[in-house]
Amino acid sequence: MKNILPVLILIYCSNLLQAQNNADKAKAFALVKQMTLEEKVGQMTQVTHAVIAKGGWSNEDGSLDPVALKNAVVNHKIGSIINVTAHALPDAQWRNIITQIQDEVKNTRLKIPVIYGLDGIHGQTYTLNSTLFPQNIGMAATRNVDLVKAAAKVTAKELRASGVRWNFAPVLDCGRQPQWSRFAETYGEDVYIGKTMGVTAVKAYEEDGLKNPTAVAVSLKHYLGYSMPRSGKDRTPAYIPEIEMREYFLPQFREAVKAGASSVMVNSGEINGVPVHASKYLLTDVLRKELGFEGVIVTDWEDIKRLNDRHFVASTPREAVAMAVNAGIDMSMVPSDYSFYDLLIEAVKKGEVSMSRIDDAVTRILFMKMKLGLFDNPYPEKDVANNFGRQEYQSLALDAAHEAMTLLKNQDKILPLSKTAKVLVAGPSAQSTTALNGCWSYVWQGNQEQWYPADSKTIFQALTDKLGAANVTTTTAKGFDNAANYDIEKLKAAAVNSDVIILCLGENAYAESPGNTRDLALPQQQTDLAKAAIATGKPVILVLTEGRPRFITDIAPQMKGILMAYWSGKKTAEAISDVLFGDYNPDGLLPFSYPKSMGEIVLYDRKPTEEVREVFNDNISGGYDPLFPFGFGLSYTTFEYGDIKLSSDKLAGNDKLTVSIVIKNTGDKNGKHTVELYTRDLYASITPNIRRLRAFQKISLKAGETKTVTFTIDKNDLAFVNEKLRTVTEPGDFEVMIGDKKIRFSYSLSEKSLKQAF
Ligand code: BGC
């Protein structure tokens, strides 16, 4: 009884939730029946804060214009508001804003609460003193799903404490195009990491089916294929064969939909020439029918207008509106005017959009609001307001930043450095907080220091705090692009009295299109600075704070140590200094392949045919030859892997295979370590991948300690998308690989399916 009690409780709770959901759906349905066309279309309309703000786009304190607010809420009956102009506001101001909006709702006929949405992609944004965690790329490096869960929970708490109940996260785009300016927002190049971490985040944000007063609705984004623009530039076209779409880009969304996600935001770009906002196939046939998504489909910024004036698939703005809504869009992030509202009303009156499509969209929107409890209490809840900015969130942010740190080089065990060393800190990111946090940090671009909390440290500050001012000097001035930061003569002079140079290079913060780049080479002045640092003859430790891999191929060989720090949030600087001086033993693993150059962008799960067949030119590598491979990351201790043990060398049908391996910490330091399991299909009906990550576990091992790690895999961990676009596992021989060990086994169909086959 003791053992089945938790199971019974779970069944009881999920039945209760189901019953509540059914009741909410019935209520939403009944409410829609009472609504006028204008009220329905209003619910489908989302505007930005500037539309209701005093002074519009030049608003600085969040304050609302009562006339504009009435126009939005009462005259246009709008369903949702988002964002704020380029300012971070106190959480109390957010509560004021939400309160004023919901007060205005009282003046409407049906009093349907407005839902507010913000982009809390690595912690709450647009809010002073919110807690920022590593970007998804850094969270992926931690390989720690517990951290993903805890960070999402804190973000949800801070949003909800501010009265905001809709989060435009998590980003589930797969980072397979490192030039893309939103690479940092992804969980990297691997499907399994994206799926696992994405689902974990969804469940944490939407805890207890949104009934929990610390839950927020998610928006999975950006459905679908947004991350793979052919040119590398944001919002430019992707060309993705359907077989690849289903293998690499769709699974994350499929799993997150299964986990109950409440909304999905659509890719602003186009795939194979079809703008996703106009794709009935992707929105209705795949997302709704095949994946069974029941929630709200919201557009991205102005994207319905773009069907007319950028994609040229709709000859008028009204045709664009009808096209998008008929394709399956429920809500339009218009967001700067009421054009969508006016045009959709016209389109319905002219019979271009059916009332049943409108009712369907509105029912979904109302249901999401009901699930969130907005109909019971649309106001910021007093008893959760103190969930903002709590001390324990800071230590979680530090834990996450620690585990993101990925040590890529440690020649002659130069690291950790001695705390008595005389250190010169140089490079543009040494005196910057923005270059440690990246996009969506307090403001959209994340690049304005004035919005950062007063206690956010720069790398220089964190090192000074650790080592004492007498031991640390810097040649870096405030401001990433400050010319003084690249002054080679100053660097040479300062190096004379230093034992080691910590060189902080990479990227300042950017988001979306402002982050577009012609290529991934480090800016020339950074490379020049690195060469000058090397020429001093002092050991140089390169610290990279960047949202995507910038090429360091020319300078890496002469670096004594290289630490990849990503954009790891509020505690990046502390985490860097802890790793460099041995207060934290690094355990992050690269979630992408760090390329050597533009012409050598090959991903770890490549096909054997991606390797060149006849190598005639020594300058061209034969195949997968990144500077650092996917899954790479050093520790200050060493781990030894025993042989892989399988429960059987044959797997059949739906059976399970147990895979175990003994790991020993053979060094003299305690450490965390991620054990990754890959599989390979040796022969298949289409060229199989060389390997695919199928599972990982992160363990802690004391110096000298041994642990057995056990995985259970089944046929799904051997599957791929075949020529007929079906996910299949074909009988035959497979390999399972862990660390430097591998072992073979075979898979056969079950007797039952064999009988069915003949
Ligand atoms: C971005 C989205 C974001 C939206 C609202 C768009 O420009 O592409 O990711 O959710 O703005 O801020």
Side-chain angles (χ1 to χ4, degrees):
M1 186 63 192
K2 218 166 137 195
N3 287 345
I4 64 165
L5 197 63
V7 180
L8 290 177
I9 292 174
L10 206 72
I11 295 174
Y12 174 76
C13 290
S14 84
N15 285 345
L16 211 65
L17 187 68
Q18 192 55 47
Q20 171 85 59
N21 279 347
N22 289 343
D24 281 347
K25 269 185 203 160
K27 270 198 252 168
F29 198 65
L31 184 52
V32 170
K33 289 211 163 129
Q34 300 173 41
M35 292 169 77
T36 62
L37 173 61
E38 288 74 14
E39 282 163 340
K40 291 176 188 173
V41 170
Q43 283 303 308
M44 296 170 70
T45 304
Q46 183 178 67
V47 295
T48 187
H49 174 269
V51 170
I52 57 163
K54 247 183 221 152
W57 288 100
S58 29
N59 177 278
E60 292 201 357
D61 58 3
S63 57
L64 303 184
D65 173 346
V67 176
L69 179 62
K70 191 171 281 306
N71 191 28
V73 174
V74 180
N75 301 349
H76 290 93
K77 303 150 190 70
I78 50 119
S80 178
I81 307 178
I82 58 164
N83 289 17
V84 70
T85 44
H87 298 278
L89 304 175
D91 54 311
Q93 176 64 324
W94 276 115
R95 290 191 286 276
N96 288 336
I97 291 173
I98 308 290
T99 303
Q100 282 178 62
I101 294 169
Q102 307 298 12
D103 278 348
E104 194 61 54
V105 167
K106 287 187 180 153
N107 300 323
T108 63
R109 189 176 76 97
L110 294 172
K111 303 181 181 33
I112 300 172
V114 165
I115 183 167
Y116 211 104
L118 289 181
D119 293 275
I121 64 148
H122 72 128
Q124 184 180 353
T125 190
Y126 295 126
T127 309
L128 293 173
N129 295 312
S130 66
T131 313
L132 295 188
F133 297 96
Q135 300 279 349
N136 280 354
I137 200 74
M139 293 307 288
T142 71
R143 302 291 202 273
N144 186 337
V145 285
D146 294 335
L147 279 175
V148 172
K149 180 175 171 186
K153 200 61 249 174
V154 166
T155 304
K157 282 183 177 169
E158 293 201 332
L159 280 160
R160 189 86 179 227
S162 315
V164 176
R165 298 197 198 183
W166 195 4
N167 190 17
F168 300 139
V171 174
L172 296 185
D173 301 311
C174 197
R176 297 177 78 81
Q177 160 56 292
Q179 196 186 342
W180 187 44
S181 58
R182 303 189 75 169
F183 188 79
E185 296 181 52
T186 76
Y187 290 113
E189 76 190 38
D190 178 63
V191 179
Y192 179 77
I193 295 179
K195 252 182 356 191
T196 314
M197 295 199 162
V199 165
T200 303
V202 168
K203 288 186 178 159
Y205 287 129
E206 297 209 340
E207 202 174 353
D208 300 336
L210 292 179
K211 292 292 171 246
N212 195 303
T214 60
V216 289
V218 298
S219 190
L220 312 177
K221 61 193 198 180
H222 305 75
Y223 179 87
L224 183 70
Y226 180 39
S227 53
M228 204 57 196
R230 182 150 82 184
S231 73
K233 311 265 186 351
D234 190 36
R235 289 177 158 86
T236 60
Y239 296 90
I240 310 175
E242 180 128 7
I243 192 166
E244 288 204 6
M245 183 77 80
R246 288 175 175 276
E247 187 69 67
Y248 303 111
F249 299 95
L250 191 62
Q252 301 82 329
F253 287 92
R254 189 189 294 276
E255 295 306 313
V257 165
K258 269 194 218 152
S262 293
S263 80
V264 165
M265 190 185 293
V266 179
N267 165 12
S268 299
E270 59 187 50
I271 304 176
N272 307 331
V274 181
V276 184
H277 283 79
S279 172
K280 193 164 192 177
Y281 172 66
L282 287 175
L283 299 181
T284 298
D285 298 348
V286 178
L287 182 56
R288 286 274 184 239
K289 296 189 184 148
E290 187 184 321
L291 270 53
F293 178 61
E294 293 186 353
V296 175
I297 303 181
V298 61
T299 74
D300 201 344
W301 191 272
E302 289 183 341
D303 281 325
I304 294 184
K305 293 179 182 178
R306 302 286 165 251
L307 297 178
N308 168 241
D309 65 15
R310 177 168 156 83
H311 298 281
F312 302 103
V313 294
S315 56
T316 64
R318 192 178 79 221
E319 192 188 346
V321 166
M323 194 179 267
V325 174
N326 287 330
I329 294 290
D330 299 318
M331 186 185 276
S332 170
M333 189 186 288
V334 192
S336 325
D337 57 41
Y338 298 106
S339 55
F340 172 80
Y341 175 88
D342 295 332
L343 294 170
L344 184 53
I345 290 172
E346 257 178 67
V348 174
K349 287 187 176 157
K350 289 191 182 295
E352 292 158 3
V353 177
S354 70
M355 192 58 95
S356 64
R357 176 71 269 273
I358 300 289
D359 287 354
D360 173 56
V362 179
T363 310
R364 294 175 197 279
I365 294 165
L366 296 180
F367 177 54
M368 179 165 85
K369 293 184 175 183
M370 281 175 189
K371 279 201 295 181
L372 278 164
L374 279 164
F375 279 85
D376 306 323
N377 175 18
Y379 290 99
E381 297 126 313
K382 292 206 173 59
D383 48 343
V384 299
N386 64 355
N387 280 340
F388 189 89
R390 296 173 77 96
Q391 199 46 45
E392 65 264 27
Y393 303 167
Q394 301 290 316
S395 44
L396 181 66
L398 181 60
D399 289 347
H402 273 153
E403 295 201 26
M405 294 299 118
T406 307
L407 184 60
L408 297 177
K409 185 171 180 187
N410 190 10
Q411 192 175 326
D412 307 325
K413 294 199 179 152
I414 187 165
L415 298 171
L417 297 166
S418 153
K419 286 185 184 159
T420 56
K422 296 270 180 217
V423 173
L424 168 61
V425 196
S429 45
Q431 287 251 54
S432 165
T433 51
T434 58
L436 310 185
N437 283 275
C439 52
W440 305 107
S441 299
Y442 304 108
V443 292
W444 174 45
Q445 291 294 309
N447 59 356
Q448 293 171 27
E449 303 253 345
Q450 74 261 35
W451 305 110
Y452 280 65
D455 63 347
S456 306
K457 288 190 189 174
T458 64
I459 299 173
F460 172 64
Q461 281 164 342
L463 290 171
T464 307
D465 290 352
K466 190 179 285 294
L467 308 173
N471 286 329
V472 187
T473 52
T474 186
T475 47
T476 305
K478 294 253 175 216
F480 190 90
D481 294 319
N482 195 322
N485 298 343
Y486 304 98
D487 186 333
I488 286 173
E489 292 311 315
K490 222 165 73 183
L491 178 92
K492 276 194 209 157
V496 174
N497 299 317
S498 312
D499 300 321
V500 59
I501 302 174
I502 296 176
L503 186 64
C504 308
L505 304 183
E507 298 183 310
N508 197 5
Y510 55 79
E512 302 185 36
S513 299
N516 285 342
T517 176
R518 287 206 174 85
D519 78 20
L520 284 172
L522 263 189
Q524 190 59 44
Q525 48 184 4
Q526 292 199 37
T527 314
D528 291 346
L529 192 70
K531 288 185 175 158
I534 294 162
T536 63
K538 299 288 163 121
V540 186
I541 311 294
L542 175 62
V543 174
L544 294 165
T545 63
E546 55 188 16
R548 58 193 155 188
R550 304 300 297 243
F551 304 139
I552 51 167
T553 314
D554 285 356
I555 54 175
Q558 292 94 327
M559 294 293 165
K560 293 283 180 211
I562 303 176
L563 179 65
M564 175 57 156
Y566 314 93
W567 286 334
S568 288
K570 170 89 187 284
K571 296 289 182 182
T572 310
E574 289 90 329
I576 290 170
S577 73
D578 286 349
V579 167
L580 295 183
F581 289 88
D583 292 331
Y584 189 81
N585 185 3
D587 50 67
L589 300 183
L590 275 183
F592 55 85
S593 308
Y594 204 116
K596 279 190 178 145
S597 68
M598 219 64 188
E600 297 260 1
I601 296 179
V602 180
L603 307 185
Y604 91 90
D605 53 9
R606 69 216 178 268
K607 307 273 174 136
T609 41
E610 287 177 59
E611 310 206 335
V612 175
R613 205 176 65 172
E614 289 101 10
V615 182
F616 289 114
N617 179 345
D618 286 347
N619 293 326
I620 294 178
S621 78
Y624 186 61
D625 187 27
L627 191 61
F628 302 105
F630 173 87
F632 185 73
L634 300 168
S635 165
Y636 294 148
T637 189
T638 44
F639 299 96
E640 212 174 80
Y641 286 53
D643 288 330
I644 303 173
K645 298 221 162 49
L646 299 180
S647 53
S648 163
D649 60 0
K650 291 184 181 62
L651 176 68
N654 294 324
D655 291 352
K656 298 202 181 301
L657 191 68
T658 307
V659 183
S660 58
I661 190 159
V662 173
I663 316 285
K664 183 169 187 196
N665 180 342
T666 47
D668 58 2
K669 289 200 170 63
N670 303 340
K672 291 186 179 173
H673 183 65
T674 300
V675 184
E676 295 192 318
L677 181 150
Y678 296 84
T679 62
R680 174 175 187 168
D681 190 345
L682 296 189
Y683 299 93
S685 59
I686 62 163
T687 311
N689 297 82
I690 279 188
R691 59 188 186 127
R692 292 291 297 269
L693 181 66
R694 303 297 191 172
F696 57 81
Q697 278 182 43
K698 192 161 192 176
I699 54 170
S700 288
L701 283 178
K702 298 212 174 71
E705 197 186 357
T706 297
K707 272 187 187 164
T708 302
V709 174
T710 304
F711 298 96
T712 305
I713 59 170
D714 61 25
K715 69 171 189 195
N716 297 318
D717 299 307
L718 311 173
F720 65 95
V721 178
N722 73 5
E723 217 187 339
K724 295 200 170 104
L725 305 179
R726 289 210 199 96
T727 302
V728 295
T729 305
E730 291 176 349
D733 287 338
F734 290 82
E735 249 168 25
V736 57
M737 295 164 263
I738 303 178
D740 54 350
K741 300 292 160 69
K742 60 182 175 185
I743 189 167
R744 276 193 190 189
F745 65 96
S746 65
Y747 173 74
S748 59
L749 298 175
S750 64
E751 274 184 31
K752 197 169 142 215
S753 41
L754 269 175
K755 272 186 205 144
Q756 278 166 358
F758 291 103

